[in-house]
Amino acid sequence: MATQTRTRVRRPARYKVLLHNDDYTPMEFVVSLLETIFGKGPAAATQIMLQIHRGGLGVAGVYVQEIAETKVTAVHQLAEKRGYPLRAGVEKE
Ligand code: TYC
């Protein structure tokens, strides 16, 4: 009888995209980023933005690494274009 090799399925690690609070980025800009880059609806986007505004940090979304890093780049590009100091980063879940 043939030897059977069982290979376990590994789910890809997931990464949180974190947004940081600052004093200069307008609230509406953060809400629009959460809608356009992270696919949140207006209510969820507003909630996340306020959580960041009050708590200093918040999770915009959770993705596999490459997608998470692409989202961070998109945030930085849009913020830079407008001259806002918005910071974003990824953290392994
Ligand atoms: N604190 C900003 C303000 O009062 C709003 C803000 C929210 C900025 C979330 C960044 O990630 C952020 N305009």
Side-chain angles (χ1 to χ4, degrees):
M1 191 179 165
T3 305
Q4 288 194 351
T5 306
R6 289 184 54 119
T7 305
R8 279 176 188 266
V9 174
R10 282 260 163 255
R11 308 252 164 250
R14 291 166 64 81
Y15 291 77
K16 296 183 275 196
V17 175
L18 301 174
L19 295 183
H20 298 259
N21 190 35
D22 66 69
D23 292 338
Y24 304 102
T25 305
M27 291 184 171
E28 313 78 61
F29 179 76
V30 177
V31 170
S32 79
L33 279 187
L34 287 164
E35 293 179 10
T36 57
I37 299 178
F38 298 95
K40 305 295 179 189
T46 302
Q47 259 189 356
I48 294 167
M49 183 280 296
L50 285 174
Q51 192 186 320
I52 301 164
H53 176 69
R54 294 175 182 140
L57 190 71
V59 179
V62 181
Y63 307 93
V64 297
Q65 186 169 22
E66 194 178 3
I67 304 288
E69 282 166 358
T70 303
K71 304 256 180 207
V72 167
T73 303
V75 169
H76 285 152
Q77 278 177 354
L78 281 182
E80 236 167 72
K81 204 161 76 183
R82 303 285 295 272
Y84 300 139
L86 182 61
R87 285 179 303 132
V90 304
E91 181 183 288
K92 199 168 181 204
E93 205 176 44

Coordinates of all heavy atoms in Angstrom, one line a residue:
M1 N 0.8 -1.2 0.0 CA 0.0 0.0 0.0 C 0.9 1.3 0.0 O 1.9 1.3 0.7 CB -0.9 0.0 1.3 CG -1.9 1.0 1.3 SD -2.9 0.8 2.8 CE -3.8 2.3 2.9
A2 N 0.5 2.2 -0.8 CA 1.3 3.4 -1.0 C 1.3 4.2 0.3 O 0.3 4.2 1.1 CB 0.8 4.3 -2.1
T3 N 2.4 4.8 0.6 CA 2.5 5.7 1.8 C 1.8 7.0 1.5 O 1.9 7.6 0.4 CB 4.0 6.0 2.0 OG1 4.7 4.8 2.1 CG2 4.2 6.8 3.3
Q4 N 1.0 7.4 2.5 CA 0.2 8.6 2.3 C 0.9 9.7 3.1 O 1.2 9.5 4.3 CB -1.2 8.4 2.8 CG -2.0 7.6 1.8 CD -3.5 7.6 2.0 OE1 -3.9 8.2 3.0 NE2 -4.2 7.0 1.2
T5 N 1.0 10.8 2.5 CA 1.6 12.0 3.1 C 0.4 13.0 3.4 O -0.3 13.3 2.4 CB 2.7 12.7 2.3 OG1 3.6 11.7 2.0 CG2 3.3 13.8 3.1
R6 N 0.2 13.3 4.6 CA -0.8 14.3 4.9 C -0.2 15.7 5.1 O 0.7 15.8 5.9 CB -1.6 13.9 6.1 CG -2.5 12.7 5.9 CD -3.3 12.4 7.1 NE -4.1 13.6 7.5 CZ -5.4 13.7 7.5 NH1 -6.1 12.6 7.2 NH2 -6.0 14.8 7.9
T7 N -0.6 16.6 4.2 CA -0.1 18.0 4.4 C -1.2 18.8 5.0 O -2.3 18.9 4.4 CB 0.3 18.5 3.0 OG1 1.2 17.6 2.4 CG2 0.9 19.9 3.1
R8 N -0.9 19.4 6.1 CA -1.9 20.2 6.7 C -2.1 21.6 6.0 O -1.1 22.1 5.5 CB -1.5 20.6 8.2 CG -1.9 19.4 9.1 CD -1.4 19.7 10.5 NE -1.5 18.6 11.4 CZ -2.6 18.4 12.1 NH1 -3.6 19.3 12.2 NH2 -2.7 17.3 12.9
V9 N -3.3 22.0 6.0 CA -3.6 23.3 5.3 C -3.2 24.4 6.3 O -3.7 24.4 7.5 CB -5.1 23.4 4.9 CG1 -5.4 24.8 4.4 CG2 -5.4 22.4 3.9
R10 N -2.4 25.3 5.9 CA -2.1 26.5 6.8 C -2.8 27.7 6.3 O -2.6 28.1 5.1 CB -0.6 26.7 6.7 CG 0.3 25.8 7.5 CD 0.7 26.5 8.8 NE 1.1 25.4 9.8 CZ 0.4 25.0 10.8 NH1 -0.8 25.5 11.0 NH2 0.8 24.0 11.6
R11 N -3.6 28.2 7.1 CA -4.3 29.5 6.7 C -3.2 30.6 6.8 O -2.4 30.6 7.7 CB -5.4 29.8 7.7 CG -6.3 28.7 7.9 CD -7.7 28.9 7.3 NE -8.4 27.7 7.2 CZ -8.7 27.0 6.1 NH1 -8.3 27.6 4.9 NH2 -9.3 25.9 6.0
P12 N -3.3 31.5 5.8 CA -2.3 32.6 5.8 C -2.4 33.5 7.1 O -3.5 33.7 7.5 CB -2.6 33.4 4.6 CG -4.0 33.0 4.2 CD -4.2 31.7 4.7
A13 N -1.3 33.9 7.6 CA -1.3 34.8 8.8 C -2.0 36.1 8.3 O -2.0 36.5 7.2 CB 0.1 35.1 9.2
R14 N -2.7 36.7 9.3 CA -3.5 37.9 9.0 C -2.8 39.1 9.7 O -2.3 39.0 10.8 CB -4.9 37.7 9.4 CG -5.6 36.7 8.4 CD -6.9 36.2 8.9 NE -7.9 37.3 9.0 CZ -8.6 37.8 8.0 NH1 -8.4 37.3 6.8 NH2 -9.5 38.7 8.2
Y15 N -3.0 40.2 9.1 CA -2.3 41.5 9.6 C -3.3 42.6 9.8 O -4.1 42.9 8.8 CB -1.2 41.9 8.7 CG 0.0 40.9 8.7 CD1 -0.1 39.7 8.0 CD2 1.1 41.2 9.4 CE1 0.9 38.8 8.0 CE2 2.2 40.3 9.4 CZ 2.1 39.1 8.8 OH 3.1 38.2 8.8
K16 N -3.3 43.2 10.9 CA -4.2 44.4 11.1 C -3.5 45.6 10.5 O -2.3 45.8 10.6 CB -4.3 44.7 12.6 CG -5.0 43.6 13.4 CD -5.2 43.9 14.8 CE -3.9 43.6 15.6 NZ -4.1 43.6 17.1
V17 N -4.3 46.4 9.8 CA -3.8 47.7 9.4 C -4.3 48.7 10.5 O -5.5 48.9 10.7 CB -4.4 48.1 8.0 CG1 -4.0 49.6 7.7 CG2 -4.0 47.1 7.0
L18 N -3.3 49.4 11.1 CA -3.6 50.3 12.2 C -3.4 51.7 11.7 O -2.5 52.1 10.9 CB -2.6 50.1 13.3 CG -2.5 48.7 14.0 CD1 -1.4 48.6 15.0 CD2 -3.9 48.4 14.7
L19 N -4.4 52.6 12.1 CA -4.3 54.0 11.8 C -4.0 54.7 13.1 O -4.6 54.3 14.2 CB -5.6 54.5 11.2 CG -6.0 54.0 9.8 CD1 -7.2 54.8 9.4 CD2 -4.9 54.2 8.8
H20 N -3.2 55.7 13.1 CA -2.8 56.5 14.3 C -3.5 57.8 14.3 O -3.7 58.4 13.2 CB -1.3 56.7 14.4 CG -0.5 55.4 14.4 ND1 0.0 54.9 15.6 CD2 -0.2 54.5 13.5 CE1 0.7 53.8 15.4 NE2 0.5 53.5 14.1
N21 N -3.8 58.3 15.5 CA -4.4 59.6 15.6 C -3.3 60.7 15.4 O -2.1 60.4 15.6 CB -5.0 59.8 16.9 CG -5.9 61.1 17.0 OD1 -6.5 61.5 16.0 ND2 -5.8 61.7 18.2
D22 N -3.7 61.8 14.9 CA -2.8 63.0 15.0 C -3.8 64.2 15.1 O -5.0 64.1 15.1 CB -2.0 63.1 13.7 CG -2.8 63.3 12.4 OD1 -3.4 64.4 12.3 OD2 -2.9 62.3 11.6
D23 N -3.2 65.4 15.2 CA -4.0 66.6 15.4 C -4.3 67.4 14.1 O -5.1 68.4 14.2 CB -3.2 67.6 16.3 CG -3.0 67.1 17.7 OD1 -3.9 66.2 18.1 OD2 -2.1 67.5 18.4
Y24 N -3.9 66.9 13.0 CA -4.0 67.7 11.8 C -4.9 67.1 10.7 O -5.4 67.8 9.9 CB -2.6 68.0 11.2 CG -1.7 68.7 12.2 CD1 -0.7 68.0 12.9 CD2 -1.9 70.0 12.5 CE1 0.1 68.6 13.9 CE2 -1.1 70.7 13.5 CZ -0.1 69.9 14.1 OH 0.7 70.5 15.1
T25 N -4.9 65.8 10.6 CA -5.7 65.1 9.6 C -7.2 65.3 9.8 O -7.6 65.0 10.9 CB -5.3 63.6 9.5 OG1 -3.9 63.5 9.3 CG2 -6.1 63.0 8.3
P26 N -7.9 65.9 8.9 CA -9.4 66.1 9.1 C -10.1 64.8 9.3 O -9.8 63.8 8.6 CB -9.8 66.8 7.8 CG -8.6 67.4 7.2 CD -7.5 66.4 7.6
M27 N -11.1 64.9 10.1 CA -12.0 63.7 10.4 C -12.6 63.2 9.1 O -12.7 62.0 8.9 CB -13.0 64.0 11.4 CG -12.5 64.3 12.8 SD -13.9 64.6 13.9 CE -13.0 64.6 15.5
E28 N -13.1 64.1 8.3 CA -13.8 63.7 7.0 C -12.8 62.9 6.1 O -13.2 62.0 5.4 CB -14.4 64.9 6.3 CG -15.1 65.9 7.1 CD -14.2 66.8 7.9 OE1 -13.4 67.5 7.3 OE2 -14.3 66.8 9.1
F29 N -11.6 63.3 6.1 CA -10.6 62.7 5.3 C -10.4 61.2 5.7 O -10.3 60.3 4.9 CB -9.3 63.4 5.3 CG -8.2 62.8 4.4 CD1 -8.2 62.9 3.1 CD2 -7.2 62.1 5.0 CE1 -7.2 62.3 2.3 CE2 -6.1 61.5 4.3 CZ -6.2 61.6 2.9
V30 N -10.3 61.0 7.0 CA -10.1 59.7 7.6 C -11.3 58.8 7.3 O -11.2 57.6 6.9 CB -9.8 59.7 9.1 CG1 -9.7 58.3 9.7 CG2 -8.5 60.5 9.4
V31 N -12.5 59.4 7.4 CA -13.7 58.6 7.1 C -13.7 58.2 5.7 O -14.0 57.1 5.3 CB -15.0 59.5 7.5 CG1 -16.3 58.8 7.0 CG2 -15.1 59.6 9.0
S32 N -13.3 59.2 4.8 CA -13.4 58.8 3.3 C -12.3 57.8 3.0 O -12.6 56.9 2.2 CB -13.2 60.1 2.5 OG -11.9 60.5 2.4
L33 N -11.2 57.8 3.7 CA -10.2 56.7 3.4 C -10.7 55.4 3.9 O -10.5 54.3 3.2 CB -9.0 57.0 4.3 CG -7.9 57.9 3.9 CD1 -6.7 57.8 4.9 CD2 -7.4 57.6 2.5
L34 N -11.4 55.4 5.0 CA -12.0 54.1 5.5 C -13.0 53.5 4.6 O -13.2 52.3 4.4 CB -12.5 54.3 6.9 CG -11.4 54.5 8.0 CD1 -12.0 55.1 9.3 CD2 -10.8 53.1 8.3
E35 N -13.7 54.4 3.9 CA -14.7 54.0 2.9 C -14.1 53.5 1.6 O -14.4 52.4 1.1 CB -15.7 55.1 2.7 CG -16.6 55.5 3.9 CD -17.5 56.6 3.6 OE1 -17.7 57.0 2.4 OE2 -18.2 57.1 4.5
T36 N -13.1 54.3 1.1 CA -12.6 54.0 -0.2 C -11.5 52.9 -0.2 O -11.5 52.0 -1.0 CB -12.0 55.2 -0.9 OG1 -11.0 55.8 -0.1 CG2 -13.1 56.3 -1.1
I37 N -10.6 53.0 0.8 CA -9.5 52.0 0.8 C -9.9 50.7 1.6 O -9.5 49.6 1.2 CB -8.3 52.6 1.4 CG1 -7.8 53.8 0.6 CG2 -7.1 51.6 1.5 CD1 -6.6 54.5 1.1
F38 N -10.7 50.9 2.6 CA -11.0 49.8 3.5 C -12.4 49.2 3.3 O -12.8 48.3 4.1 CB -10.7 50.1 4.9 CG -9.2 50.5 5.1 CD1 -8.8 51.8 5.1 CD2 -8.3 49.5 5.3 CE1 -7.5 52.1 5.2 CE2 -7.0 49.8 5.5 CZ -6.5 51.1 5.4
G39 N -13.2 49.8 2.4 CA -14.5 49.3 2.1 C -15.6 49.4 3.2 O -16.5 48.6 3.2
K40 N -15.4 50.3 4.2 CA -16.3 50.4 5.2 C -17.5 51.3 4.8 O -17.4 52.2 3.9 CB -15.7 51.1 6.5 CG -14.4 50.4 7.0 CD -14.7 49.1 7.5 CE -13.4 48.4 8.0 NZ -13.6 47.0 8.3
G41 N -18.7 51.0 5.4 CA -19.8 51.9 5.1 C -19.7 53.2 6.0 O -18.8 53.2 6.8
P42 N -20.5 54.2 5.7 CA -20.3 55.5 6.4 C -20.4 55.4 7.9 O -19.6 56.0 8.6 CB -21.5 56.3 5.8 CG -22.0 55.6 4.6 CD -21.5 54.2 4.7
A43 N -21.3 54.5 8.4 CA -21.5 54.4 9.9 C -20.3 53.8 10.5 O -19.7 54.3 11.5 CB -22.7 53.7 10.2
A44 N -19.8 52.7 9.9 CA -18.6 51.9 10.5 C -17.4 52.8 10.3 O -16.6 52.9 11.3 CB -18.4 50.6 9.7
A45 N -17.3 53.5 9.2 CA -16.1 54.4 9.0 C -16.0 55.5 10.1 O -15.0 55.8 10.6 CB -16.1 55.0 7.6
T46 N -17.2 56.1 10.3 CA -17.2 57.1 11.3 C -16.9 56.6 12.7 O -16.1 57.2 13.5 CB -18.6 57.8 11.4 OG1 -18.9 58.3 10.0 CG2 -18.7 58.9 12.3
Q47 N -17.4 55.4 13.0 CA -17.1 54.8 14.3 C -15.6 54.5 14.5 O -15.1 54.8 15.6 CB -17.9 53.5 14.5 CG -19.1 53.6 15.3 CD -19.7 52.2 15.6 OE1 -19.2 51.2 15.1 NE2 -20.8 52.2 16.4
I48 N -15.0 54.0 13.5 CA -13.6 53.6 13.6 C -12.8 54.9 13.7 O -11.9 55.0 14.5 CB -13.1 52.8 12.3 CG1 -13.8 51.4 12.3 CG2 -11.6 52.7 12.3 CD1 -13.7 50.7 11.0
M49 N -13.1 55.9 12.9 CA -12.4 57.2 13.0 C -12.5 57.8 14.4 O -11.5 58.3 14.9 CB -13.0 58.2 11.9 CG -12.3 59.5 11.9 SD -12.8 60.7 13.2 CE -14.5 60.9 12.7
L50 N -13.7 57.8 15.0 CA -13.8 58.3 16.3 C -13.1 57.6 17.4 O -12.5 58.1 18.3 CB -15.3 58.4 16.7 CG -16.1 59.5 16.0 CD1 -17.6 59.4 16.3 CD2 -15.6 60.9 16.4
Q51 N -13.0 56.2 17.2 CA -12.3 55.4 18.1 C -10.8 55.8 18.0 O -10.1 55.8 19.1 CB -12.5 53.9 17.7 CG -12.0 52.9 18.7 CD -12.2 51.5 18.1 OE1 -13.2 51.2 17.4 NE2 -11.2 50.7 18.3
I52 N -10.3 56.0 16.8 CA -8.9 56.4 16.7 C -8.7 57.8 17.3 O -7.7 58.0 18.0 CB -8.5 56.4 15.2 CG1 -8.7 55.0 14.6 CG2 -7.0 56.9 15.1 CD1 -8.6 55.0 13.1
H53 N -9.6 58.7 17.0 CA -9.5 60.1 17.5 C -9.5 60.1 19.0 O -8.7 60.9 19.7 CB -10.7 60.8 17.0 CG -10.8 62.2 17.5 ND1 -9.9 63.2 17.1 CD2 -11.7 62.8 18.3 CE1 -10.3 64.4 17.7 NE2 -11.4 64.1 18.5
R54 N -10.3 59.3 19.7 CA -10.3 59.2 21.2 C -9.3 58.4 21.8 O -8.8 58.7 22.9 CB -11.7 58.8 21.6 CG -12.8 59.7 21.2 CD -14.2 59.1 21.5 NE -15.3 60.0 21.1 CZ -16.4 59.6 20.6 NH1 -16.7 58.3 20.4 NH2 -17.3 60.4 20.2
G55 N -8.9 57.3 21.1 CA -8.1 56.3 21.8 C -6.6 56.3 21.2 O -5.8 55.6 21.8
G56 N -6.4 57.0 20.2 CA -5.0 57.2 19.6 C -4.7 56.2 18.5 O -3.7 56.4 17.8
L57 N -5.4 55.1 18.4 CA -5.1 54.1 17.5 C -6.3 53.2 17.2 O -7.2 53.1 18.0 CB -4.0 53.2 18.2 CG -3.3 52.1 17.4 CD1 -2.3 52.8 16.5 CD2 -2.5 51.2 18.4
G58 N -6.4 52.7 16.0 CA -7.5 51.8 15.7 C -7.3 50.9 14.5 O -6.3 51.2 13.7
V59 N -8.1 49.9 14.4 CA -7.9 48.9 13.3 C -8.8 49.3 12.1 O -10.0 49.3 12.3 CB -8.2 47.5 13.8 CG1 -8.1 46.5 12.7 CG2 -7.3 47.1 15.0
A60 N -8.2 49.5 11.0 CA -9.0 49.9 9.8 C -9.5 48.6 9.1 O -10.5 48.7 8.4 CB -8.1 50.7 8.8
G61 N -8.7 47.5 9.2 CA -9.1 46.3 8.6 C -8.0 45.2 8.8 O -7.0 45.5 9.4
V62 N -8.4 44.0 8.5 CA -7.4 42.8 8.7 C -7.3 42.1 7.4 O -8.3 41.7 6.8 CB -8.0 41.9 9.8 CG1 -7.0 40.8 10.1 CG2 -8.2 42.7 11.1
Y63 N -6.1 41.8 6.9 CA -5.9 41.3 5.6 C -4.6 40.3 5.7 O -3.9 40.4 6.6 CB -5.6 42.4 4.6 CG -6.6 43.5 4.6 CD1 -6.5 44.6 5.4 CD2 -7.8 43.3 3.8 CE1 -7.5 45.6 5.4 CE2 -8.7 44.3 3.8 CZ -8.6 45.4 4.6 OH -9.6 46.4 4.6
V64 N -4.4 39.6 4.6 CA -3.1 38.9 4.4 C -2.1 40.0 4.2 O -2.4 41.1 3.8 CB -3.1 37.9 3.3 CG1 -4.1 36.8 3.6 CG2 -3.4 38.5 2.0
Q65 N -0.8 39.6 4.5 CA 0.3 40.6 4.6 C 0.4 41.5 3.4 O 0.5 42.8 3.5 CB 1.6 39.9 4.8 CG 2.7 40.9 5.1 CD 4.0 40.2 5.6 OE1 4.2 39.0 5.3 NE2 4.8 40.9 6.3
E66 N 0.4 41.0 2.2 CA 0.6 41.8 1.0 C -0.5 42.8 0.8 O -0.2 44.0 0.4 CB 0.8 40.9 -0.2 CG 1.4 41.7 -1.4 CD 1.6 40.8 -2.6 OE1 1.2 39.6 -2.6 OE2 2.1 41.3 -3.6
I67 N -1.7 42.4 1.0 CA -2.8 43.3 0.9 C -2.7 44.4 2.0 O -2.9 45.6 1.7 CB -4.2 42.6 1.0 CG1 -4.3 41.4 0.0 CG2 -5.4 43.5 0.9 CD1 -4.5 41.8 -1.4
A68 N -2.4 44.0 3.2 CA -2.3 45.0 4.3 C -1.3 46.0 4.0 O -1.5 47.2 4.2 CB -2.0 44.2 5.6
E69 N -0.1 45.6 3.4 CA 0.9 46.5 3.1 C 0.6 47.5 2.0 O 0.9 48.6 2.0 CB 2.2 45.8 2.9 CG 2.9 45.3 4.2 CD 4.0 44.3 4.1 OE1 4.3 43.9 2.9 OE2 4.5 43.9 5.1
T70 N -0.2 46.9 1.0 CA -0.7 47.7 -0.1 C -1.6 48.8 0.4 O -1.6 50.0 0.0 CB -1.4 46.9 -1.1 OG1 -0.4 45.9 -1.6 CG2 -1.8 47.7 -2.3
K71 N -2.5 48.5 1.4 CA -3.4 49.4 1.9 C -2.7 50.5 2.7 O -3.0 51.7 2.6 CB -4.4 48.7 2.9 CG -5.1 47.6 2.3 CD -6.5 47.9 2.0 CE -7.3 46.8 1.3 NZ -8.4 47.2 0.5
V72 N -1.6 50.2 3.4 CA -0.8 51.2 4.1 C -0.2 52.2 3.1 O -0.2 53.4 3.3 CB 0.3 50.5 5.0 CG1 1.3 51.5 5.5 CG2 -0.4 49.8 6.2
T73 N 0.4 51.6 2.0 CA 0.9 52.5 1.0 C -0.1 53.4 0.4 O 0.2 54.6 0.2 CB 1.5 51.6 -0.1 OG1 2.5 50.7 0.5 CG2 2.2 52.5 -1.2
A74 N -1.3 52.9 0.2 CA -2.4 53.7 -0.4 C -2.8 54.9 0.6 O -2.9 56.0 0.2 CB -3.6 52.9 -0.7
V75 N -2.8 54.5 1.9 CA -3.1 55.6 2.9 C -2.0 56.7 2.9 O -2.4 57.9 2.8 CB -3.2 55.0 4.3 CG1 -3.2 56.0 5.4 CG2 -4.4 54.0 4.5
H76 N -0.8 56.2 2.9 CA 0.3 57.2 3.0 C 0.3 58.1 1.7 O 0.6 59.3 1.8 CB 1.6 56.5 3.1 CG 1.8 56.0 4.5 ND1 2.6 54.9 4.9 CD2 1.4 56.5 5.7 CE1 2.6 54.7 6.2 NE2 1.8 55.6 6.7
Q77 N 0.1 57.5 0.5 CA 0.1 58.2 -0.7 C -1.0 59.3 -0.7 O -0.8 60.4 -1.1 CB -0.1 57.3 -1.9 CG 1.2 56.6 -2.3 CD 1.1 55.7 -3.5 OE1 0.0 55.4 -3.9 NE2 2.2 55.1 -3.9
L78 N -2.3 58.9 -0.3 CA -3.4 59.9 -0.3 C -3.1 61.0 0.7 O -3.4 62.1 0.4 CB -4.7 59.2 0.0 CG -5.3 58.4 -1.2 CD1 -6.7 57.8 -0.8 CD2 -5.6 59.4 -2.4
A79 N -2.6 60.6 1.9 CA -2.4 61.6 2.9 C -1.3 62.5 2.5 O -1.4 63.8 2.7 CB -2.1 60.9 4.2
E80 N -0.2 62.0 2.0 CA 0.9 62.9 1.5 C 0.5 63.9 0.5 O 0.8 65.0 0.5 CB 2.0 62.0 1.0 CG 3.3 62.1 1.7 CD 4.3 61.0 1.3 OE1 4.8 61.0 0.1 OE2 4.5 60.1 2.1
K81 N -0.4 63.3 -0.5 CA -0.9 64.2 -1.5 C -1.6 65.4 -1.0 O -1.5 66.5 -1.6 CB -1.8 63.4 -2.4 CG -1.9 63.9 -3.8 CD -2.5 62.8 -4.8 CE -4.0 62.5 -4.6 NZ -4.5 61.5 -5.4
R82 N -2.3 65.2 0.1 CA -3.1 66.3 0.7 C -2.3 67.1 1.8 O -2.8 68.0 2.4 CB -4.3 65.7 1.4 CG -5.2 65.0 0.4 CD -6.0 65.9 -0.6 NE -6.9 66.7 0.2 CZ -8.2 66.4 0.5 NH1 -8.6 65.2 0.0 NH2 -8.9 67.2 1.1
G83 N -1.1 66.6 2.1 CA -0.2 67.3 3.1 C -0.6 66.9 4.5 O -0.3 67.7 5.4
Y84 N -1.2 65.8 4.7 CA -1.6 65.4 6.1 C -0.6 64.4 6.7 O -0.1 63.5 5.9 CB -3.0 64.7 6.1 CG -4.1 65.7 5.6 CD1 -5.1 65.2 4.8 CD2 -4.1 67.0 5.9 CE1 -6.1 66.0 4.3 CE2 -5.1 67.8 5.5 CZ -6.1 67.4 4.7 OH -7.1 68.2 4.2
P85 N -0.4 64.4 8.0 CA 0.6 63.6 8.6 C 0.1 62.2 9.0 O 0.7 61.6 9.9 CB 1.1 64.4 9.8 CG -0.2 65.1 10.2 CD -0.9 65.4 9.0
L86 N -1.0 61.8 8.5 CA -1.6 60.5 8.9 C -0.7 59.3 8.8 O 0.0 59.1 7.8 CB -2.8 60.2 8.0 CG -3.7 59.0 8.3 CD1 -4.3 59.1 9.7 CD2 -4.8 58.8 7.3
R87 N -0.6 58.6 9.9 CA 0.3 57.4 10.0 C -0.5 56.1 10.0 O -1.5 56.0 10.7 CB 1.2 57.5 11.2 CG 2.4 58.5 11.1 CD 3.2 58.6 12.3 NE 2.4 58.9 13.5 CZ 2.4 58.2 14.6 NH1 3.2 57.2 14.8 NH2 1.7 58.6 15.6
A88 N 0.0 55.1 9.3 CA -0.6 53.8 9.3 C 0.5 52.7 9.3 O 1.6 53.0 8.9 CB -1.4 53.7 8.0
G89 N 0.2 51.6 9.8 CA 1.2 50.5 9.8 C 0.4 49.2 9.9 O -0.8 49.1 10.1
V90 N 1.2 48.1 9.8 CA 0.6 46.8 10.0 C 1.1 46.1 11.2 O 2.3 46.3 11.7 CB 0.8 45.8 8.8 CG1 0.4 46.5 7.5 CG2 2.3 45.4 8.7
E91 N 0.3 45.2 11.8 CA 0.7 44.4 13.0 C 0.1 43.0 12.8 O -1.1 42.9 12.5 CB 0.1 45.1 14.2 CG 0.5 44.4 15.5 CD -0.1 45.1 16.7 OE1 0.3 46.2 17.1 OE2 -1.1 44.5 17.3
K92 N 0.9 42.0 13.0 CA 0.4 40.7 12.9 C -0.6 40.4 13.9 O -0.5 40.8 15.1 CB 1.6 39.7 13.1 CG 1.3 38.3 12.5 CD 2.5 37.4 12.5 CE 2.1 36.1 11.9 NZ 3.1 35.0 12.3
E93 N -1.7 39.8 13.5 CA -2.9 39.6 14.4 C -2.5 38.6 15.5 O -1.8 37.6 15.3 CB -4.1 39.1 13.6 CG -5.4 39.4 14.2 CD -6.6 38.9 13.3 OE1 -6.5 37.8 12.8 OE2 -7.5 39.7 13.2
Ligands
TYC1 N1 -7.7 63.9 15.5 C1 -8.1 64.4 14.2 C2 -8.8 65.7 14.3 O1 -9.3 66.0 15.3 C3 -8.9 63.3 13.4 C4 -8.2 62.0 13.2 C5 -8.8 60.8 13.4 C6 -6.9 62.0 12.7 C7 -8.2 59.6 13.1 C8 -6.2 60.8 12.4 O2 -6.3 58.4 12.3 C9 -6.9 59.6 12.6 N2 -9.0 66.4 13.1

